[in-house]
Amino acid sequence: QVQLVESGGGLVQAGGSLRLSCVASGSIFSISAMGWYRQAPGKQRELVASITNGGSINYADSVKGRFTISRDNAKNAVYLQMNSLQYEDTAVYYCTADRGWRPRSWGQGTQVTVSS
């Protein structure tokens, strides 16, 4: 099992920035990739960004150039730097950890609200 704890959400004005953090604990040796998903009211959950152990990064088209994902393996942490936030970025953001064939692990979510 992997436990994920997110922090850093909040309320920000459009054009502002936030940095989300996620710390993993438990069976961290089995993690192959970590990422961030988000779910806005009335919408499906979607991938925001992901990063593998090898450093391969993937972004949703809607956040490219504005968001940056990074990892600190020494701290078992993954971060999401969000700049130039838009109203459409308002959502609950979830940290995830992939562990091969095992089910994806999810954090409890952190709310990000962007006021227009």
Side-chain angles (χ1 to χ4, degrees), residues 17 19 24 50-52 58 61 69 71 76-77 82-83 100 104:
S17 299
R19 184 180 189 234
S50 64
I51 181 168
T52 68
N58 184 41
D61 287 343
I69 189 171
R71 282 178 72 172
N76 302 318
M82 304 185 294
N83 298 329
R104 174 172 290 146

Side-chain angles (χ1 to χ4, degrees), residues 1-2 23 28 33 38 43 45 49-50 68 79 81 83 89-90 106-108 112 115-116:
Q1 284 279 33
V2 170
V23 177
I28 57 175
R38 68 185 180 185
K43 294 188 177 181
R45 195 170 293 188
S50 64
T68 303
Y79 307 99
Q81 178 66 44
N83 298 329
D89 295 318
T90 296
W106 295 84
Q108 80 284 357
V112 171
S115 61
S116 57

